[in-house]
Amino acid sequence: MDTCTCETCDEEYTLPSVEALMAGTLALLTGYAQSAPDCPHRSLMARKLVSNLFFLSEHPQLSPAMRTMLANLRTRWQLDIEQVPTPQPGALWHPAAASVQ
């Protein structure tokens, strides 16, 4: 068995695919909840959450009840992101130069 001496090893995990997907989804949920309402990445996080919830709701290693609950969550998130307009990129900090020297 390998032993690791680096400081970051306590954050490295080997998870089965369904658990890795669940962990990633929970991390996205945390990021979404902690982000400011005007965060430009918020809508992208919500769309990724919908995608992850879809794949989790179809995963064969989860119980039928868990898959149903995840499908219901996905539907609610999908309805939410369809009602919120996607933010447009903001103006540039500086106007573009008229000519390049």
Coordinates of all heavy atoms in Angstrom, one line a residue:
M1 N 0.8 -1.2 0.0 CA 0.0 0.0 0.0 C 0.9 1.2 0.0 O 1.8 1.4 0.8 CB -0.9 0.0 1.2 CG -1.8 1.2 1.3 SD -2.9 1.0 2.8 CE -4.3 1.9 2.2
D2 N 0.6 2.2 -0.9 CA 1.4 3.4 -1.0 C 1.0 4.3 0.2 O -0.2 4.4 0.5 CB 1.1 4.1 -2.3 CG 1.8 3.5 -3.5 OD1 2.8 2.8 -3.2 OD2 1.4 3.8 -4.6
T3 N 1.9 5.0 0.7 CA 1.7 6.0 1.7 C 2.1 7.3 1.1 O 3.1 7.4 0.4 CB 2.4 5.8 3.0 OG1 3.8 5.7 2.7 CG2 2.0 4.5 3.7
C4 N 1.3 8.3 1.3 CA 1.5 9.6 0.8 C 2.0 10.6 1.8 O 1.5 10.6 2.9 CB 0.2 10.2 0.1 SG 0.5 11.6 -0.8
T5 N 3.0 11.4 1.5 CA 3.6 12.3 2.4 C 3.3 13.7 2.1 O 3.7 14.6 2.8 CB 5.1 12.1 2.5 OG1 5.7 12.4 1.2 CG2 5.5 10.7 3.0
C6 N 2.5 14.0 1.0 CA 2.3 15.4 0.7 C 1.1 15.9 1.5 O 0.3 15.2 2.1 CB 1.9 15.5 -0.8 SG 0.4 14.6 -1.3
E7 N 1.1 17.2 1.6 CA 0.1 17.9 2.5 C -1.3 17.8 1.9 O -2.3 17.9 2.6 CB 0.5 19.4 2.7 CG 1.7 19.5 3.4 CD 2.1 21.0 3.6 OE1 1.3 21.9 3.3 OE2 3.3 21.3 3.9
T8 N -1.5 17.7 0.6 CA -2.8 17.7 0.0 C -3.5 16.3 -0.1 O -4.6 16.2 -0.6 CB -2.8 18.3 -1.4 OG1 -1.9 17.5 -2.3 CG2 -2.3 19.8 -1.4
C9 N -2.8 15.3 0.3 CA -3.3 13.9 0.1 C -4.6 13.7 0.9 O -5.4 12.9 0.5 CB -2.3 12.9 0.6 SG -0.9 12.8 -0.6
D10 N -4.9 14.4 1.9 CA -6.1 14.3 2.7 C -7.3 14.7 1.8 O -8.5 14.5 2.2 CB -6.1 14.9 4.0 CG -5.9 16.4 3.9 OD1 -5.4 16.9 2.9 OD2 -6.2 17.1 4.9
E11 N -7.1 15.5 0.7 CA -8.2 15.9 -0.1 C -8.3 15.1 -1.4 O -9.2 15.4 -2.2 CB -8.0 17.4 -0.5 CG -8.1 18.3 0.7 CD -7.9 19.8 0.3 OE1 -8.1 20.1 -0.8 OE2 -7.7 20.6 1.2
E12 N -7.5 14.1 -1.5 CA -7.6 13.2 -2.7 C -8.4 11.9 -2.3 O -8.1 11.3 -1.4 CB -6.2 12.8 -3.2 CG -5.4 14.0 -3.7 CD -4.0 13.7 -4.2 OE1 -3.7 12.5 -4.2 OE2 -3.3 14.6 -4.4
Y13 N -9.4 11.6 -3.1 CA -10.2 10.5 -2.9 C -10.4 9.7 -4.1 O -10.4 10.2 -5.2 CB -11.6 10.9 -2.4 CG -11.6 11.9 -1.2 CD1 -11.8 13.2 -1.3 CD2 -11.5 11.3 0.1 CE1 -11.7 14.1 -0.2 CE2 -11.5 12.2 1.2 CZ -11.6 13.5 1.0 OH -11.6 14.4 2.1
T14 N -10.6 8.4 -4.0 CA -11.0 7.6 -5.1 C -12.4 7.1 -4.7 O -12.6 6.3 -3.8 CB -10.1 6.4 -5.2 OG1 -8.7 6.9 -5.4 CG2 -10.4 5.5 -6.4
L15 N -13.4 7.6 -5.5 CA -14.8 7.2 -5.2 C -15.4 6.5 -6.4 O -15.0 6.7 -7.6 CB -15.6 8.5 -5.1 CG -15.2 9.5 -3.9 CD1 -16.0 10.8 -4.0 CD2 -15.5 8.8 -2.6
P16 N -16.4 5.6 -6.2 CA -17.1 5.0 -7.3 C -17.8 6.1 -8.1 O -18.0 7.2 -7.5 CB -18.1 4.1 -6.6 CG -17.6 3.9 -5.2 CD -16.8 5.1 -4.9
S17 N -18.1 5.9 -9.3 CA -18.6 7.0 -10.2 C -19.8 7.6 -9.7 O -19.9 8.9 -9.8 CB -18.8 6.4 -11.6 OG -19.9 5.4 -11.6
V18 N -20.7 6.9 -9.1 CA -22.0 7.5 -8.6 C -21.7 8.4 -7.5 O -22.2 9.5 -7.3 CB -23.1 6.5 -8.3 CG1 -22.7 5.6 -7.1 CG2 -24.4 7.2 -8.1
E19 N -20.8 8.0 -6.6 CA -20.4 8.8 -5.4 C -19.6 10.1 -5.9 O -19.8 11.2 -5.3 CB -19.7 8.0 -4.4 CG -20.5 7.0 -3.7 CD -19.8 6.1 -2.7 OE1 -18.6 6.5 -2.4 OE2 -20.4 5.1 -2.3
A20 N -18.7 9.9 -6.9 CA -18.0 11.1 -7.4 C -18.9 12.1 -8.0 O -18.8 13.3 -7.8 CB -17.0 10.6 -8.4
L21 N -19.9 11.6 -8.7 CA -20.9 12.5 -9.3 C -21.7 13.2 -8.3 O -22.0 14.4 -8.3 CB -21.8 11.7 -10.3 CG -22.8 12.6 -11.1 CD1 -22.1 13.7 -11.9 CD2 -23.5 11.6 -12.1
M22 N -22.1 12.5 -7.2 CA -22.9 13.0 -6.1 C -22.0 14.1 -5.4 O -22.5 15.2 -5.1 CB -23.3 11.9 -5.1 CG -24.2 12.4 -4.0 SD -25.9 12.8 -4.6 CE -26.5 11.2 -4.8
A23 N -20.7 13.8 -5.2 CA -19.9 14.7 -4.5 C -19.7 16.0 -5.3 O -19.7 17.1 -4.8 CB -18.5 14.1 -4.2
G24 N -19.5 15.9 -6.6 CA -19.4 17.0 -7.5 C -20.7 17.9 -7.5 O -20.6 19.1 -7.5
T25 N -21.8 17.2 -7.5 CA -23.1 17.9 -7.5 C -23.3 18.7 -6.1 O -23.7 19.8 -6.2 CB -24.3 16.9 -7.7 OG1 -24.0 16.2 -8.9 CG2 -25.6 17.6 -7.7
L26 N -22.9 18.1 -5.0 CA -23.0 18.7 -3.8 C -22.1 19.9 -3.7 O -22.4 21.0 -3.2 CB -22.7 17.8 -2.6 CG -23.8 16.7 -2.4 CD1 -23.3 15.7 -1.4 CD2 -25.1 17.3 -2.0
A27 N -20.9 19.8 -4.3 CA -20.0 20.9 -4.3 C -20.5 22.1 -5.2 O -20.4 23.2 -4.8 CB -18.6 20.5 -4.9
L28 N -21.2 21.7 -6.3 CA -21.8 22.7 -7.2 C -23.0 23.4 -6.4 O -23.1 24.6 -6.5 CB -22.4 22.1 -8.4 CG -21.4 22.0 -9.6 CD1 -22.1 21.1 -10.7 CD2 -21.1 23.4 -10.1
L29 N -23.7 22.6 -5.7 CA -24.8 23.2 -4.9 C -24.3 24.2 -3.9 O -24.9 25.3 -3.7 CB -25.6 22.1 -4.2 CG -26.6 21.3 -5.1 CD1 -27.1 20.1 -4.3 CD2 -27.8 22.2 -5.5
T30 N -23.2 23.9 -3.3 CA -22.6 24.8 -2.3 C -22.1 26.0 -3.0 O -22.3 27.1 -2.5 CB -21.4 24.0 -1.6 OG1 -21.9 22.9 -0.9 CG2 -20.8 24.9 -0.5
G31 N -21.4 25.9 -4.1 CA -20.9 27.0 -4.8 C -22.0 27.9 -5.3 O -21.9 29.2 -5.2
Y32 N -23.1 27.3 -5.7 CA -24.3 28.1 -6.2 C -24.9 28.9 -5.0 O -25.2 30.1 -5.1 CB -25.3 27.2 -6.8 CG -26.5 27.9 -7.4 CD1 -26.5 28.4 -8.7 CD2 -27.6 28.2 -6.6 CE1 -27.5 29.0 -9.3 CE2 -28.7 28.9 -7.2 CZ -28.6 29.3 -8.5 OH -29.7 30.0 -9.0
A33 N -25.0 28.2 -3.9 CA -25.6 28.9 -2.7 C -24.8 30.0 -2.2 O -25.3 31.0 -1.7 CB -25.9 27.8 -1.6
Q34 N -23.5 29.9 -2.3 CA -22.6 30.8 -1.7 C -22.2 32.0 -2.7 O -21.6 32.9 -2.3 CB -21.3 30.2 -1.2 CG -21.5 29.3 0.0 CD -20.2 28.6 0.4 OE1 -19.2 28.5 -0.3 NE2 -20.3 28.0 1.6
S35 N -22.6 31.8 -3.9 CA -22.3 32.9 -4.9 C -23.2 34.0 -4.8 O -24.4 33.9 -4.4 CB -22.3 32.3 -6.3 OG -23.6 31.9 -6.7
A36 N -22.8 35.2 -5.2 CA -23.6 36.4 -5.3 C -24.6 36.2 -6.4 O -24.4 35.6 -7.4 CB -22.7 37.6 -5.5
P37 N -25.8 36.8 -6.2 CA -26.9 36.7 -7.2 C -26.5 37.2 -8.6 O -26.9 36.8 -9.6 CB -28.0 37.5 -6.6 CG -27.8 37.5 -5.1 CD -26.3 37.5 -5.0
D38 N -25.5 38.2 -8.6 CA -25.1 38.7 -9.9 C -23.8 38.0 -10.4 O -23.2 38.5 -11.4 CB -24.9 40.2 -9.8 CG -23.8 40.6 -8.8 OD1 -23.4 39.8 -7.9 OD2 -23.4 41.8 -8.8
C39 N -23.4 36.9 -9.8 CA -22.2 36.2 -10.3 C -22.5 35.7 -11.7 O -23.5 35.1 -12.0 CB -22.0 35.0 -9.4 SG -20.7 33.9 -9.9
P40 N -21.6 36.0 -12.6 CA -21.8 35.6 -14.0 C -21.7 34.1 -14.3 O -22.2 33.6 -15.3 CB -20.6 36.3 -14.8 CG -19.6 36.5 -13.7 CD -20.3 36.7 -12.4
H41 N -21.2 33.3 -13.3 CA -21.1 31.9 -13.5 C -22.3 31.2 -12.8 O -22.4 29.9 -13.0 CB -19.8 31.4 -12.8 CG -18.6 32.0 -13.4 ND1 -18.1 31.8 -14.7 CD2 -17.7 32.9 -12.9 CE1 -17.1 32.6 -14.9 NE2 -16.8 33.2 -13.8
R42 N -23.1 31.9 -12.2 CA -24.3 31.3 -11.5 C -25.2 30.5 -12.4 O -25.6 29.4 -12.1 CB -25.0 32.4 -10.7 CG -25.9 31.9 -9.7 CD -26.4 33.1 -8.9 NE -27.6 32.8 -8.1 CZ -27.5 32.4 -6.8 NH1 -26.3 32.2 -6.3 NH2 -28.6 32.1 -6.1
S43 N -25.5 31.0 -13.6 CA -26.4 30.3 -14.5 C -25.7 29.1 -15.0 O -26.3 28.0 -15.3 CB -26.9 31.2 -15.6 OG -25.8 31.6 -16.4
L44 N -24.4 29.1 -15.2 CA -23.6 27.9 -15.7 C -23.6 26.9 -14.6 O -23.7 25.7 -15.0 CB -22.2 28.3 -16.1 CG -22.1 29.3 -17.2 CD1 -20.6 29.7 -17.4 CD2 -22.6 28.7 -18.5
M45 N -23.5 27.3 -13.4 CA -23.5 26.3 -12.3 C -24.9 25.6 -12.2 O -25.0 24.4 -12.1 CB -23.2 26.9 -10.9 CG -21.7 27.3 -10.8 SD -21.3 27.8 -9.1 CE -21.9 29.5 -9.1
A46 N -25.9 26.4 -12.4 CA -27.3 25.8 -12.4 C -27.5 24.9 -13.5 O -28.1 23.8 -13.3 CB -28.3 27.0 -12.4
R47 N -27.0 25.2 -14.7 CA -27.2 24.3 -15.8 C -26.4 23.0 -15.6 O -26.9 21.9 -16.0 CB -26.7 25.0 -17.1 CG -27.7 26.1 -17.5 CD -27.2 26.8 -18.8 NE -27.9 28.0 -19.0 CZ -29.2 28.1 -19.3 NH1 -29.9 27.1 -19.5 NH2 -29.8 29.3 -19.5
K48 N -25.2 23.1 -15.0 CA -24.4 21.9 -14.7 C -25.1 21.1 -13.6 O -25.1 19.8 -13.7 CB -23.0 22.3 -14.3 CG -22.1 21.1 -14.0 CD -21.9 20.2 -15.3 CE -20.9 19.1 -15.0 NZ -20.9 18.1 -16.1
L49 N -25.8 21.7 -12.7 CA -26.5 21.0 -11.7 C -27.6 20.2 -12.3 O -27.9 19.0 -11.9 CB -27.1 22.0 -10.6 CG -26.1 22.5 -9.6 CD1 -26.7 23.7 -8.8 CD2 -25.8 21.3 -8.6
V50 N -28.3 20.8 -13.2 CA -29.4 20.1 -13.9 C -28.9 18.9 -14.7 O -29.4 17.8 -14.6 CB -30.2 21.0 -14.9 CG1 -31.1 20.2 -15.8 CG2 -30.9 22.1 -14.1
S51 N -27.7 19.0 -15.3 CA -27.1 17.9 -16.0 C -26.7 16.8 -15.0 O -27.0 15.6 -15.3 CB -25.9 18.4 -16.8 OG -25.2 17.3 -17.3
N52 N -26.0 17.2 -14.0 CA -25.6 16.2 -13.0 C -26.8 15.4 -12.4 O -26.8 14.2 -12.2 CB -24.8 16.8 -11.8 CG -23.4 17.1 -12.3 OD1 -23.1 17.1 -13.4 ND2 -22.6 17.5 -11.3
L53 N -27.9 16.2 -12.1 CA -29.1 15.6 -11.5 C -29.7 14.6 -12.5 O -30.3 13.6 -12.1 CB -30.1 16.7 -11.0 CG -29.6 17.4 -9.8 CD1 -30.6 18.7 -9.6 CD2 -29.6 16.6 -8.5
F54 N -29.7 15.0 -13.8 CA -30.2 14.0 -14.8 C -29.4 12.7 -14.7 O -30.1 11.6 -14.7 CB -30.1 14.7 -16.2 CG -30.4 13.7 -17.3 CD1 -31.7 13.3 -17.5 CD2 -29.4 13.1 -18.0 CE1 -31.9 12.3 -18.5 CE2 -29.6 12.2 -19.0 CZ -30.9 11.8 -19.2
F55 N -28.1 12.8 -14.8 CA -27.3 11.6 -14.8 C -27.5 10.8 -13.5 O -27.5 9.5 -13.5 CB -25.9 11.9 -15.1 CG -25.6 12.2 -16.5 CD1 -25.3 13.5 -16.9 CD2 -25.8 11.3 -17.5 CE1 -25.1 13.9 -18.2 CE2 -25.6 11.6 -18.9 CZ -25.3 12.9 -19.2
L56 N -27.6 11.5 -12.4 CA -27.8 10.8 -11.1 C -29.2 10.1 -11.1 O -29.3 9.0 -10.6 CB -27.7 11.7 -9.9 CG -26.2 12.1 -9.6 CD1 -26.3 13.3 -8.6 CD2 -25.5 10.9 -9.0
S57 N -30.2 10.7 -11.7 CA -31.5 10.2 -11.6 C -31.7 9.0 -12.5 O -32.6 8.2 -12.4 CB -32.6 11.2 -12.1 OG -32.5 11.6 -13.4
E58 N -30.7 8.8 -13.4 CA -30.7 7.6 -14.3 C -29.7 6.5 -13.9 O -29.6 5.5 -14.5 CB -30.4 8.0 -15.7 CG -31.4 9.0 -16.3 CD -32.7 8.4 -16.6 OE1 -32.8 7.2 -17.0 OE2 -33.8 9.1 -16.3
H59 N -29.0 6.8 -12.8 CA -27.9 5.9 -12.4 C -28.4 4.6 -11.8 O -29.2 4.6 -10.9 CB -26.9 6.6 -11.4 CG -25.6 6.0 -11.5 ND1 -25.3 4.8 -10.9 CD2 -24.4 6.5 -12.0 CE1 -24.0 4.5 -11.1 NE2 -23.4 5.6 -11.7
P60 N -28.0 3.4 -12.4 CA -28.5 2.1 -11.9 C -28.1 1.7 -10.5 O -28.7 0.8 -9.9 CB -28.0 1.1 -12.9 CG -26.7 1.8 -13.5 CD -27.0 3.3 -13.4
Q61 N -27.0 2.4 -9.9 CA -26.6 2.0 -8.6 C -27.4 2.6 -7.5 O -27.2 2.3 -6.3 CB -25.1 2.3 -8.4 CG -24.2 1.4 -9.2 CD -22.7 1.7 -9.0 OE1 -22.4 2.8 -8.6 NE2 -21.9 0.8 -9.4
L62 N -28.3 3.6 -7.9 CA -29.1 4.2 -6.9 C -30.5 3.5 -6.8 O -31.0 3.0 -7.8 CB -29.3 5.7 -7.2 CG -28.0 6.5 -7.2 CD1 -28.3 7.9 -7.7 CD2 -27.4 6.5 -5.8
S63 N -31.1 3.6 -5.7 CA -32.4 3.0 -5.5 C -33.5 3.7 -6.3 O -33.3 4.9 -6.7 CB -32.9 3.0 -4.0 OG -33.1 4.4 -3.6
P64 N -34.6 3.1 -6.7 CA -35.6 3.7 -7.4 C -36.2 5.0 -6.7 O -36.5 6.0 -7.4 CB -36.7 2.7 -7.6 CG -36.0 1.4 -7.5 CD -34.8 1.6 -6.5
A65 N -36.3 4.9 -5.4 CA -36.8 6.1 -4.7 C -35.8 7.3 -4.8 O -36.2 8.4 -4.9 CB -37.0 5.7 -3.2
M66 N -34.5 7.0 -4.7 CA -33.5 8.0 -4.8 C -33.5 8.6 -6.2 O -33.4 9.8 -6.4 CB -32.1 7.5 -4.4 CG -31.0 8.5 -4.5 SD -31.3 9.7 -3.2 CE -29.7 10.5 -3.1
R67 N -33.6 7.8 -7.2 CA -33.7 8.2 -8.6 C -34.9 9.1 -8.8 O -34.8 10.1 -9.5 CB -33.6 7.1 -9.6 CG -32.3 6.3 -9.6 CD -32.1 5.4 -10.8 NE -33.2 4.5 -11.0 CZ -33.2 3.2 -10.6 NH1 -32.2 2.7 -10.0 NH2 -34.2 2.5 -10.9
T68 N -36.0 8.7 -8.3 CA -37.2 9.6 -8.4 C -37.1 10.9 -7.8 O -37.4 11.9 -8.3 CB -38.5 8.8 -7.8 OG1 -38.6 7.6 -8.5 CG2 -39.7 9.7 -7.9
M69 N -36.5 10.9 -6.6 CA -36.3 12.2 -5.8 C -35.3 13.1 -6.6 O -35.6 14.3 -6.8 CB -35.7 11.9 -4.5 CG -35.6 13.1 -3.5 SD -34.1 14.1 -3.6 CE -32.9 12.9 -3.3
L70 N -34.3 12.5 -7.2 CA -33.3 13.3 -8.0 C -33.9 13.8 -9.3 O -33.7 14.9 -9.7 CB -32.1 12.4 -8.3 CG -31.2 12.1 -7.1 CD1 -30.2 11.0 -7.4 CD2 -30.5 13.4 -6.6
A71 N -34.8 13.0 -9.9 CA -35.5 13.5 -11.1 C -36.4 14.6 -10.8 O -36.5 15.6 -11.5 CB -36.3 12.3 -11.7
N72 N -37.1 14.6 -9.6 CA -38.0 15.7 -9.2 C -37.1 17.0 -8.9 O -37.5 18.1 -9.3 CB -38.8 15.3 -7.9 CG -39.8 14.3 -8.2 OD1 -40.3 14.1 -9.4 ND2 -40.2 13.6 -7.2
L73 N -36.0 16.8 -8.3 CA -35.1 17.9 -8.1 C -34.6 18.5 -9.4 O -34.6 19.8 -9.6 CB -33.8 17.5 -7.3 CG -34.0 17.4 -5.8 CD1 -32.7 16.9 -5.2 CD2 -34.3 18.8 -5.2
R74 N -34.3 17.7 -10.4 CA -33.8 18.1 -11.7 C -34.9 19.0 -12.4 O -34.7 20.0 -12.9 CB -33.4 17.0 -12.6 CG -32.9 17.4 -13.9 CD -32.8 16.3 -14.9 NE -34.0 15.6 -15.2 CZ -34.9 15.9 -16.0 NH1 -34.8 17.0 -16.7 NH2 -36.0 15.2 -16.2
T75 N -36.2 18.5 -12.3 CA -37.3 19.2 -12.9 C -37.4 20.6 -12.2 O -37.6 21.6 -12.9 CB -38.6 18.4 -12.7 OG1 -38.4 17.1 -13.4 CG2 -39.8 19.1 -13.3
R76 N -37.3 20.6 -10.9 CA -37.5 21.9 -10.2 C -36.3 22.9 -10.6 O -36.6 24.1 -10.9 CB -37.5 21.7 -8.7 CG -38.8 21.0 -8.3 CD -38.8 20.8 -6.8 NE -39.4 22.1 -6.3 CZ -39.6 22.3 -5.0 NH1 -39.4 21.3 -4.2 NH2 -40.1 23.4 -4.6
W77 N -35.1 22.4 -10.7 CA -34.0 23.2 -11.1 C -34.2 23.7 -12.6 O -33.9 24.8 -12.9 CB -32.7 22.5 -10.9 CG -32.1 22.6 -9.6 CD1 -32.3 21.8 -8.5 CD2 -31.2 23.7 -9.1 NE1 -31.6 22.2 -7.4 CE2 -31.0 23.4 -7.7 CE3 -30.7 24.8 -9.7 CZ2 -30.2 24.2 -7.0 CZ3 -29.9 25.6 -8.9 CH2 -29.6 25.3 -7.5
Q78 N -34.6 22.8 -13.4 CA -34.8 23.1 -14.8 C -35.9 24.2 -15.0 O -35.7 25.1 -15.7 CB -35.3 21.8 -15.6 CG -35.4 22.1 -17.1 CD -34.1 22.3 -17.8 OE1 -33.1 21.6 -17.5 NE2 -34.1 23.3 -18.7
L79 N -36.9 24.1 -14.2 CA -38.0 25.2 -14.3 C -37.4 26.5 -13.8 O -37.7 27.6 -14.4 CB -39.2 24.8 -13.4 CG -40.0 23.6 -14.0 CD1 -41.1 23.2 -13.0 CD2 -40.6 24.0 -15.3
D80 N -36.6 26.5 -12.8 CA -36.0 27.7 -12.2 C -35.0 28.4 -13.2 O -35.1 29.6 -13.4 CB -35.2 27.4 -10.9 CG -36.1 27.3 -9.7 OD1 -37.3 27.5 -9.8 OD2 -35.6 26.8 -8.7
I81 N -34.2 27.6 -13.9 CA -33.2 28.2 -14.8 C -33.9 28.7 -16.1 O -33.4 29.6 -16.8 CB -32.0 27.3 -15.2 CG1 -32.4 26.0 -15.9 CG2 -31.2 26.9 -13.9 CD1 -31.3 25.2 -16.4
E82 N -35.1 28.1 -16.5 CA -35.8 28.6 -17.6 C -36.5 29.9 -17.4 O -36.7 30.7 -18.3 CB -36.8 27.5 -18.1 CG -36.2 26.3 -18.7 CD -37.2 25.2 -19.0 OE1 -38.4 25.4 -18.6 OE2 -36.8 24.2 -19.5
Q83 N -36.7 30.2 -16.1 CA -37.4 31.5 -15.8 C -36.4 32.6 -15.5 O -36.8 33.8 -15.5 CB -38.2 31.3 -14.5 CG -39.4 30.3 -14.7 CD -40.2 30.1 -13.4 OE1 -39.8 30.6 -12.4 NE2 -41.2 29.2 -13.5
V84 N -35.1 32.3 -15.3 CA -34.2 33.4 -15.1 C -33.4 33.7 -16.4 O -32.8 32.8 -17.0 CB -33.2 32.9 -14.0 CG1 -32.1 33.9 -13.8 CG2 -33.9 32.6 -12.7
P85 N -33.4 35.0 -16.8 CA -32.6 35.3 -18.0 C -31.1 35.1 -17.8 O -30.6 35.3 -16.7 CB -33.0 36.7 -18.3 CG -33.4 37.3 -17.0 CD -34.0 36.1 -16.2
T86 N -30.5 34.6 -18.9 CA -29.0 34.5 -18.8 C -28.4 35.8 -18.9 O -28.7 36.7 -19.7 CB -28.6 33.6 -20.0 OG1 -29.3 32.4 -20.0 CG2 -27.1 33.4 -20.0
P87 N -27.5 36.1 -17.9 CA -26.9 37.4 -17.9 C -26.0 37.7 -19.1 O -25.3 36.7 -19.6 CB -26.0 37.5 -16.6 CG -25.9 36.0 -16.2 CD -27.0 35.3 -16.8
Q88 N -26.0 38.9 -19.6 CA -25.2 39.2 -20.8 C -23.8 39.7 -20.3 O -23.7 40.3 -19.2 CB -25.9 40.3 -21.6 CG -27.2 39.9 -22.1 CD -27.1 38.7 -23.0 OE1 -26.2 38.6 -23.9 NE2 -28.0 37.7 -22.8
P89 N -22.8 39.5 -21.1 CA -21.5 40.0 -20.6 C -21.5 41.5 -20.5 O -22.2 42.2 -21.2 CB -20.5 39.6 -21.8 CG -21.3 38.8 -22.7 CD -22.8 38.8 -22.3
G90 N -20.7 42.0 -19.5 CA -20.7 43.4 -19.2 C -19.8 44.1 -20.2 O -19.2 43.6 -21.0
A91 N -19.8 45.4 -20.1 CA -19.0 46.3 -20.9 C -17.5 46.1 -20.6 O -17.1 45.7 -19.5 CB -19.4 47.7 -20.7
L92 N -16.7 46.4 -21.6 CA -15.3 46.3 -21.4 C -14.8 47.4 -20.4 O -15.4 48.4 -20.3 CB -14.5 46.5 -22.8 CG -14.8 45.5 -23.8 CD1 -14.1 45.9 -25.1 CD2 -14.2 44.1 -23.4
W93 N -13.8 47.1 -19.8 CA -13.2 48.1 -18.8 C -12.7 49.3 -19.5 O -12.9 50.5 -19.1 CB -12.1 47.5 -18.0 CG -12.6 46.5 -17.0 CD1 -13.8 46.0 -16.8 CD2 -11.7 45.9 -16.0 NE1 -13.8 45.2 -15.7 CE2 -12.6 45.1 -15.2 CE3 -10.4 46.0 -15.7 CZ2 -12.1 44.3 -14.2 CZ3 -9.9 45.2 -14.6 CH2 -10.8 44.4 -13.9
H94 N -12.1 49.1 -20.7 CA -11.5 50.2 -21.4 C -12.0 50.1 -22.9 O -12.1 49.0 -23.4 CB -10.0 50.2 -21.4 CG -9.4 50.2 -20.1 ND1 -9.3 51.3 -19.3 CD2 -8.9 49.2 -19.3 CE1 -8.8 51.1 -18.2 NE2 -8.5 49.8 -18.1
P95 N -12.3 51.2 -23.5 CA -12.7 51.1 -24.9 C -11.5 50.6 -25.8 O -10.4 50.9 -25.4 CB -13.1 52.6 -25.3 CG -12.4 53.4 -24.3 CD -12.3 52.6 -23.0
A96 N -11.9 50.0 -26.8 CA -10.9 49.5 -27.8 C -10.2 50.6 -28.4 O -10.8 51.7 -28.7 CB -11.5 48.6 -28.8
A97 N -8.9 50.5 -28.7 CA -8.1 51.6 -29.4 C -8.6 51.7 -30.8 O -8.9 50.7 -31.5 CB -6.6 51.2 -29.3
A98 N -8.6 52.9 -31.3 CA -9.0 53.2 -32.7 C -8.0 52.7 -33.7 O -8.3 52.2 -34.8 CB -9.2 54.7 -32.9
S99 N -6.7 52.7 -33.3 CA -5.7 52.2 -34.2 C -4.6 51.6 -33.3 O -4.4 51.9 -32.1 CB -5.1 53.3 -35.0 OG -4.5 54.3 -34.2
V100 N -3.8 50.7 -33.9 CA -2.7 50.1 -33.2 C -1.4 50.6 -33.8 O -1.2 50.7 -35.0 CB -2.7 48.5 -33.4 CG1 -1.6 47.9 -32.7 CG2 -4.0 48.0 -32.9
Q101 N -0.5 51.0 -33.0 CA 0.8 51.6 -33.5 C 1.8 50.5 -33.8 O 1.9 49.5 -33.3 CB 1.4 52.5 -32.5 CG 0.5 53.7 -32.3 CD 1.1 54.7 -31.2 OE1 2.0 54.4 -30.5 NE2 0.5 55.9 -31.2

